[in-house]
Amino acid sequence: MNAQVSSDAGIAASKGVFIDNHWSPAASGKEIDVVAPAEGRVFARIAAGGPEDIDRAVKAARRAYEGEWGKLAAFERGRLLARLGLLILDNADELAALEARDCGKPMKQAWADIAACARYFEFYGGAADKWHGTTIPFLNGYFVATEREPHGVIGHVIPWNYPAQMYGRTLGPALAAGNAVVMKPAEEACLTPLRLTELAAEAGFPAGAINVVPGLGPEAGQALISHPGVDFLSFTGSPEIGVLVQTEAAKNHIACTLELGGKSPQIVFSDVDLDEALPTLVNAIVQNAGQTCSAGSRLLVERSGYDRIVGAVAERFGKLQAGTPDMDLDLGPLISLRQKGRVESFCAKAADDGIAVLAEGKIAEGAPENGFFVAPRLFGPVPQANSLAREEVFGPILSVIPFEDEADALTIANGTDYGLIAGVWSSNAKRATRVARKVRAGQVYINAYGAGGGVELPFGGVRKSGHGREKGFEALHDFTTLKTLVFKHD
Ligand code: NAP
Ligand code: MG
């Protein structure tokens, strides 16, 4: 892994790849170091899965789909999901500590992530036998019904920012719908997905229903997205790899869902209730150190209230502190040195472009020097054409952009290639509704902002943010295919 991170004793050994409800070494025999971002040192190793392991996992999933798992009634699948949800809560201490160390996030965030992961399994456990087709009036003498069928075997590639939440978010609906799954988690943070899959086996999921193969994107990931035995792909990550996923899906004539991040606007009118809005406006970019696909990374502020609103945001921003999971402050470190370098290069370019830093938080005293911390920063005013106003930084960097009126706000809000989520803040309900309905995004909040949102709320984007919907009942739509049955009875 990275030459600049240190290692020492007490490194947790790799358990291998998890296929057919048991661990085995990766075919390559190779391993990957896992770094704790808050410490900047290796604390575990994982197997470097590759094409042979993926092939074995896909075949195991197919056997499960055609065998014991595929034969379960919907309510029996739901019961297994609900049982896993409870088991996750029973093991929440251990899982939250693992997630916090692997990702560097504050403990309160890790707890919230584990709770959300459990909620996905509860929600989809309950939904499994409530997702059904319909009947269609047709010609006399005919009876027509539709049936929602699973795709079969689904390949899931997830990123490192919320491994536990992503696990629940993508596997919950896929399994509730009756698919068997193979997951390739991100090599930078995959310990909770592996542990959760052990718990799934303990909950009673039949062998092969859930298989997890850790490894590198170009090796295990590429093998999964191009495998001809996979019937559907679910990907969350960068737009660049999203293009690859969609290309491989096309070659195999299968569909995919892509969740590729965003440059989400928070549109703040002068009549905002600032006391109510302030904590959310700031947290929307600080949560998970800004490494959230739906981070509110653009703060669009009406010119007439600019000084008052930006002044209050700046004051709050200046008090933010980054620290270790146990310090449990506003934010943790970034996931890797590479990600830290990426964020710092955005900041350096903004300085070169003459954009002012309006406020800067701190790295807490006592935070390890080797940790991948960056101080949160508020930049503004950021010209609409600047990369800080258009590109996903994936760090705790908030860009302030002034606007003149409603029309100007919408032009700016809709002026990037992305469209994932948005927030509209105003005491004028009619205006807020009007603007919300014209923003191009999969989710729009009014006088609220939910980076990540609730498990019940359909979520996904347009254009460079991807397509397809996860969360809520909508995810069951994407993870199934529809069959129309036509019966002639006269
Ligand atoms: P990424 O490369 O797209 O990683 C996402 C997942 O795709 C990881 O599991 C990765 O594996 C895998 N992958 C990489 N190459 C692959 C390939 N050729 N075939 C199949 N799978 C492959 O994203 P990243 O490099 O971690 O982050 C880069 C940027 O993407 C971030 O700065 C951020 O802007 C954006 N991002 C967005 C989200 C989101 O939630 N939408 C999440 C993460 C990142 P490995 O990483 O294990 O190699
Ligand atoms: Mg990567």
Side-chain angles (χ1 to χ4, degrees):
M1 201 168 208
N2 204 305
Q4 292 180 59
V5 297
S6 60
S7 65
D8 63 13
I11 296 171
S14 158
K15 289 174 137 183
V17 299
F18 198 85
I19 298 173
D20 257 339
N21 275 2
H22 66 262
W23 294 105
S24 52
S28 69
K30 289 193 219 146
E31 294 187 349
I32 301 169
D33 288 343
V34 182
V35 176
E39 302 156 53
R41 67 185 179 92
V42 178
F43 76 104
R45 292 208 173 87
I46 53 164
E52 279 180 57
D53 309 291
I54 289 290
D55 186 55
R56 208 154 61 76
V58 171
K59 286 178 176 148
R62 178 67 57 192
R63 277 194 305 276
Y65 180 67
E66 287 171 358
E68 191 184 344
W69 170 245
K71 292 189 173 72
L72 291 183
F75 84 88
E76 292 172 313
R77 293 198 302 271
R79 189 176 280 163
L80 283 174
L81 270 96
R83 198 178 288 157
L84 175 55
L86 288 176
L87 211 47
I88 291 168
L89 293 177
D90 288 347
N91 289 274
D93 284 344
E94 177 211 338
L95 288 164
L98 193 60
E99 186 81 336
R101 192 157 193 212
D102 205 5
C103 304
K105 43 185 96 192
M107 279 309 297
K108 53 180 176 272
Q109 176 70 52
W111 273 103
D113 289 359
I114 300 305
C117 178
R119 276 289 294 134
Y120 280 112
F121 287 102
E122 288 171 348
F123 180 88
Y124 289 108
D129 58 353
K130 296 163 195 74
W131 176 245
H132 51 70
T134 183
T135 59
I136 300 174
F138 191 50
L139 303 172
N140 278 341
Y142 284 84
F143 174 76
V144 180
T146 62
E147 186 181 10
R148 283 268 158 203
E149 292 185 326
H151 291 291
V153 174
I154 300 191
H156 299 255
V157 178
I158 61 166
W160 41 259
N161 50 349
Y162 291 90
Q165 285 213 44
M166 295 286 170
Y167 188 93
R169 183 176 108 187
T170 73
L171 297 196
L175 293 163
N179 301 283
V181 301
V182 178
M183 172 175 277
K184 203 302 280 180
E187 44 108 359
E188 274 150 335
C190 66
L191 298 181
T192 48
L194 289 166
R195 178 69 185 121
L196 286 161
T197 310
E198 271 185 333
L199 290 176
E202 198 181 317
F205 277 85
I210 310 175
N211 309 278
V212 179
V213 178
L216 300 175
E219 295 171 9
Q222 182 65 35
L224 180 57
I225 64 174
S226 58
H227 198 291
V230 171
D231 301 303
F232 187 86
L233 291 169
S234 162
F235 174 77
T236 304
S238 63
E240 294 71 30
I241 305 298
V243 170
L244 248 172
V245 170
Q246 194 158 7
T247 305
E248 294 299 340
K251 287 185 199 159
N252 283 325
H253 305 284
I254 61 171
C256 59
T257 53
L258 301 178
E259 203 273 87
L260 309 177
K263 190 73 189 174
S264 296
Q266 308 188 69
I267 306 168
V268 188
F269 286 94
S270 304
D271 61 1
V272 61
D273 179 340
L274 199 52
D275 288 342
E276 192 195 346
L278 204 51
T280 307
L281 292 178
V282 173
N283 191 53
I285 185 63
V286 167
Q287 177 182 320
N288 213 39
Q291 303 168 117
T292 303
C293 45
S294 50
S297 54
R298 287 188 296 156
L299 190 67
L300 277 51
V301 182
E302 192 172 19
R303 182 89 64 186
S304 55
Y306 189 87
D307 289 347
R308 182 176 60 92
I309 295 165
V310 175
V313 171
E315 194 190 336
R316 196 173 174 100
F317 229 83
K319 292 183 185 145
L320 294 170
Q321 288 198 73
T324 62
D326 288 338
M327 291 175 175
D328 214 8
L329 302 170
D330 304 297
L331 65 157
L334 299 181
I335 190 72
S336 60
L337 266 184
R338 184 182 70 127
Q339 197 65 22
K340 181 177 165 172
R342 185 186 139 92
V343 171
E344 281 175 345
S345 71
F346 267 101
C347 295
K349 182 172 178 307
D352 285 350
D353 294 343
I355 301 171
V357 176
L358 304 175
E360 184 165 340
K362 287 187 184 51
I363 298 169
E365 227 168 275
E369 286 211 345
N370 289 342
F372 310 136
F373 299 97
V374 297
R377 254 159 283 179
L378 181 71
F379 281 96
V382 178
Q384 171 68 356
N386 194 272
S387 54
L388 218 49
R390 316 186 72 80
E391 289 173 34
E392 187 175 51
V393 177
F394 234 54
I397 308 299
L398 183 57
S399 302
V400 182
I401 306 170
F403 68 85
E404 304 301 333
D405 55 20
E406 238 176 271
D408 193 31
L410 278 165
T411 304
I412 297 169
N414 292 336
T416 74
D417 297 334
Y418 292 98
L420 189 59
I421 89 167
V424 183
W425 297 87
S426 170
S427 301
N428 179 335
K430 281 189 178 173
R431 173 164 66 187
T433 308
R434 224 168 24 237
V435 171
R437 295 196 68 199
K438 287 189 183 145
V439 174
R440 262 167 71 78
Q443 259 186 8
V444 185
Y445 291 82
I446 295 173
N447 292 325
Y449 195 92
V455 308
E456 306 86 348
L457 311 181
F459 176 83
V462 296
R463 301 294 304 269
K464 203 172 171 183
S465 290
H467 53 71
R469 293 292 176 265
E470 289 186 334
K471 304 189 178 186
F473 268 75
E474 237 6 83
L476 294 166
H477 195 279
D478 284 63
F479 285 127
T480 52
T481 179
L482 188 85
K483 179 181 280 170
T484 306
L485 295 154
V486 183
F487 305 78
K488 187 170 186 306
H489 54 70
D490 287 337

